[in-house]
Structure formats: C-alpha cells, structure tokens
C-alpha cells in the first residue's frame, strides 16, 4: 500500500511542480488501444512494449481538461481507500457522483488508465470489479473472509469471488477445465451432470466477454492445478474473440497480461469444420452480418493467428461460408447431443486445436 500511496503522491507532486512553474500540468498515459504498442509473446500473449507511444491529458486543452479533472478525482478516492484499507467497486465509484462521471464506462476507462499509468494492478488500487462469472464442478476453496466454498457437492453454481487473489486452500481432483462462453450452455451442462459424468472437471463461464475476476480465476486455477483447459464457444467471430481474450488477453488490458492470460488454452468447439463434419442443416445456421465480416477480418490479421495454422484454417472456413452457429445448433441432432456425444468424443479422441 505504501507503494501505491507513493505512486499517487509522485503524480500530484508533478502537477504541483508544473503549477509552481506556471506551466499547464500534464498526465502522460500509454496508448492502450494502439496495436503498435503491443507485442505478441507465445508464453504470455499480448503485452505492452516498454517504450510505447503515449498520449497527454492536458489541463489547458478543452478536450482533455474534463478527463484530467476526473483522473485527479479518482486518484484522490483511491488514495483515501488505500490509507483507510477500504475497498469499492467501479460501480460504487460511479454512483458516488453520477452527474460528475456521466457514465459507468467513463469510470471504467479512467480506472484502467490509472492502473496502467501507475503500473499497479487494479486490485492493489483497492478497486474491486463487479463479478458476473460462474464456477461449478470439482473444486473447493476458502475465500479471503474465511467462507468455505465447495462446488463439488452439488450442481450448485457459485459466483466467481470478487477477490480472486485472496482465495486459498484450493482443492480439486478435476482432470480438465472447461470454459463455456454462454450462461445457457453452462446451465445445460450442469443439468446434464456433465461435471461428474465423463471425469471430474471444473466449469467456468464469464457469461459472454469475461470480466477481470473470471480471467484471474482461470489463471489462478491454471497456476494451481496445471490441468488442460478447453473452451466451448459459438462458431462465430464473437466466440473466437472471447476465446482469444482468455488465451492471449486484450489490447486494452495488455499491461496486466502476466496475471490474466493462459496461452495453453485449447479450442475444443464449436469449430466451423464441425458444422460440415456433423452435417448440420444450413437452415439452422445464421448468415454473417457486415459487423461479423469486419470482426473476423480483424481477428485474422492479429499476430497470434499466424502461429496457429489450424485456427487460421478454421477462420478461413468461417469466412468462406459466411455462416455462423451457436452451440445450441447441436440440439438439432438431439436434445442432449452436446453432453452425451459431442464433448465426450472430442475429449476422448483429441478433437481440439
């Protein structure tokens, strides 16, 4: 905490120095959304390069002055929380002054900028993410406050803890981990008792694009158990994008890649080639939108696709067909096809990439 306080004090000192010299204070931020600032490493995923391009938030520029003020406001809130050892969610910060901040996304963006500028993980800033992910299966652990969580006993779903770093005594006999894109598929697999039928496993869903805590939990489970991790996503550009976030990270959070990515994650399904192999009827597939085409083209250009020839091939199949499919299309073969046939066969015969 002294490190965090010192980092914030240094920022404020620079602001005061500029004012004393009658200069306009400036906050310098790394350009988090610029691909030129990102390098791809097999072992880490997408990470920010040390000498990256920056942008300046100036107090004497009408466009950036409001952001400058909001950054100082949130820095002062963080400073007080670290001093008093209290925590707040990003939502709490937004609701402390909705008129000032304008929207939740403004707060989220500024917090990520501050975390990147100070080179301090968000958790150390005493800001908690709101968790939306779920976990189930063969896993038990103790939360920071001493609460014992046992997912193994039943088909109960547990919310991913809001302080993943604080959990301890992790125990599991799982043979693998399955990351499921959507909540509906996750619930369906739970109803079919998938976690116990084939062999014990841990199931996680970020319910779409994963929040920070879900990604941290996947990484923590990988570090602790070193078991294979598979993803089950829709066969569409959005599903591929979500899988890449778990595996390689995102551009905007590349400064925290070391804590968040698991490059050993495997793509289990739904593969574009599966649709042809399983003779899925064309009438249950969905035609691409312009947005889908744009998203797929951008994914195909990314640095990590070049070192994944099998993925490249699957994306080419998707691009050529201009059709996408949700995991639910497997119910057109039979209602329990996913848990009874598709997943057992894939896991048994190595049908992943």
């Amino acid at each position: 905490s002294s490190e965090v306080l010192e980092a914030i004090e240094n920022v404020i000192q620079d602001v005061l120095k500029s004012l004393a010299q009658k200069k306009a204070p400036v906050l310098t931020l790394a350009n988090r959304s610029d691909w030129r600032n990102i390098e791809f490493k097999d072992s880490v995923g997408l990470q920010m390069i040390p000498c990256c391009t920056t942008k300046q938030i100036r107090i004497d520029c009408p466009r950036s002055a409001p952001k400058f003020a909001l950054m100082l406001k949130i820095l002062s809130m963080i400073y007080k929380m670290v001093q008093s050892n209290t925590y707040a969610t990003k939502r709490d910060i937004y609701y402390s002054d909705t008129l000032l901040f304008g929207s939740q996304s403004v707060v989220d963006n500024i917090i990520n900028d501050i975390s990147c500028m100070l080179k301090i993980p968000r958790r150390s800033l005493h800001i908690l993410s709101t968790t939306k992910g779920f976990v189930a299966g063969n896993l038990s652990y103790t939360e920071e406050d001493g609460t014992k969580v046992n997912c193994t006993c039943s088909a109960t779903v547990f919310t991913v803890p809001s302080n993943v770093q604080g959990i301890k005594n992790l125990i599991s006999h799982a043979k693998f981990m399955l990351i499921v894109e959507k909540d509906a598929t996750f619930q369906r697999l739970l109803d079919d008792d998938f976690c116990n039928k084939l062999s014990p496993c841990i199931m996680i869903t970020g319910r779409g694009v994963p929040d920070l805590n879900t990604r941290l939990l996947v990484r923590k489970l990988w570090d602790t158990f070193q078991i294979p991790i598979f993803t089950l996503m829709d066969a569409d550009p959005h599903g591929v994008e979500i899988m890449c976030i778990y595996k390689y990270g995102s551009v905007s959070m590349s400064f925290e890649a070391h804590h968040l990515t698991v490059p050993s994650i495997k793509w289990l399904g739904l593969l574009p080639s599966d649709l042809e192999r399983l003779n899925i009827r064309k009438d249950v597939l969905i035609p691409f939108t312009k947005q889908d085409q744009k998203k797929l083209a951008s994914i195909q250009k990314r640095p990590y696709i070049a070192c994944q020839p099998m993925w490249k091939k699957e994306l080419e199949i998707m691009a050529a067909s201009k059709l996408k499919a949700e995991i639910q299309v497997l119910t057109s073969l039979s209602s329990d096809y996913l848990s009874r046939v598709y997943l057992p066969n894939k896991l048994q015969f190595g049908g992943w990439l």
Side-chain angles (χ1 to χ4, degrees), residues 75-126:
L75 277 168
S76 77
M77 292 171 86
I78 292 168
Y79 194 85
K80 280 177 195 155
M81 288 192 296
V82 174
Q83 271 187 324
S84 59
N85 197 26
T86 53
Y87 288 83
T89 63
K90 295 185 295 183
R91 207 162 173 69
D92 295 332
I93 290 174
Y94 168 59
Y95 279 108
S96 70
D97 199 332
T98 52
L99 278 176
L100 177 69
F101 293 119
S103 76
Q104 182 70 59
S105 62
V106 167
V107 172
D108 296 355
N109 193 35
I110 286 176
I111 288 166
N112 285 341
D113 277 339
I114 288 173
S115 177
C116 183
M117 177 177 76
L118 301 178
K119 295 184 171 54
I120 290 168
R122 194 194 301 168
R123 167 76 201 172
S124 304
L125 301 177
H126 284 230

Side-chain angles (χ1 to χ4, degrees), residues 13-244:
Q13 257 176 338
D14 287 346
V15 169
L16 292 173
K17 260 185 216 161
S18 300
L19 290 171
Q21 294 164 2
K22 298 201 166 28
K23 288 181 189 164
V26 169
L27 296 174
T28 305
L29 307 178
N31 240 329
R32 288 189 298 116
S33 56
D34 192 339
W35 273 94
R36 288 171 302 181
N37 287 339
I38 311 297
E39 65 176 353
F40 171 65
K41 267 195 175 170
D42 259 357
S43 57
V44 181
L46 300 175
Q47 62 174 8
M48 193 169 269
I49 57 172
C51 322
C52 58
T53 61
T54 55
K55 57 182 178 184
Q56 292 192 327
I57 309 296
R58 304 182 62 88
I59 203 165
D60 60 348
C61 164
R63 278 182 62 204
S64 66
K67 183 166 182 174
F68 187 98
L70 293 180
M71 285 188 76
L72 288 196
K73 166 79 174 167
I74 292 177
L75 277 168
S76 77
M77 292 171 86
I78 292 168
Y79 194 85
K80 280 177 195 155
M81 288 192 296
V82 174
Q83 271 187 324
S84 59
N85 197 26
T86 53
Y87 288 83
T89 63
K90 295 185 295 183
R91 207 162 173 69
D92 295 332
I93 290 174
Y94 168 59
Y95 279 108
S96 70
D97 199 332
T98 52
L99 278 176
L100 177 69
F101 293 119
S103 76
Q104 182 70 59
S105 62
V106 167
V107 172
D108 296 355
N109 193 35
I110 286 176
I111 288 166
N112 285 341
D113 277 339
I114 288 173
S115 177
C116 183
M117 177 177 76
L118 301 178
K119 295 184 171 54
I120 290 168
R122 194 194 301 168
R123 167 76 201 172
S124 304
L125 301 177
H126 284 230
I127 295 170
L128 304 170
S129 299
T130 314
T131 298
K132 64 183 178 106
F134 290 147
V135 60
N138 195 291
L139 175 68
S140 62
Y141 55 86
T142 308
E143 290 199 5
E144 190 184 29
D145 63 1
T147 308
K148 287 184 166 55
V149 175
N150 190 351
C151 313
T152 312
C153 292
S154 59
T156 316
V157 169
F158 288 88
T159 307
V160 168
S162 59
N163 176 14
V164 174
Q165 281 95 326
I167 66 175
K168 48 190 183 292
N169 308 329
L170 287 96
I171 299 165
S172 177
H173 304 293
K175 296 285 179 275
F176 64 92
M177 207 152 91
L178 184 67
I179 299 171
V180 183
E181 177 186 349
K182 283 183 179 160
D183 192 19
T185 311
F186 182 83
Q187 298 291 349
R188 178 67 213 236
L189 289 172
L190 268 185
D191 293 344
D192 291 349
D193 196 25
F194 178 74
C195 290
N196 302 309
K197 262 185 187 163
L198 195 62
S199 58
C201 76
I202 299 167
M203 278 203 319
I204 287 184
T205 179
R207 298 162 78 198
V209 176
D211 59 275
L212 197 66
N213 292 327
T214 304
R215 291 173 62 190
L216 283 167
L217 183 62
V218 169
R219 176 58 195 252
K220 186 162 187 117
L221 293 173
W222 161 247
D223 286 340
T224 309
F225 302 118
Q226 299 278 308
I227 51 177
I229 304 179
F230 302 107
T231 58
L232 182 62
M233 306 279 152
D234 288 341
D236 65 11
H238 190 61
V240 174
E241 172 91 284
I242 289 170
M243 172 174 56
C244 291

Side-chain angles (χ1 to χ4, degrees), residues 32 37-38 46-49 249-258:
R32 288 189 298 116
N37 287 339
I38 311 297
L46 300 175
Q47 62 174 8
M48 193 169 269
I49 57 172
S250 59
V251 174
S252 64
M253 293 297 287
S254 58
F255 62 95
E256 272 204 64
H258 289 272

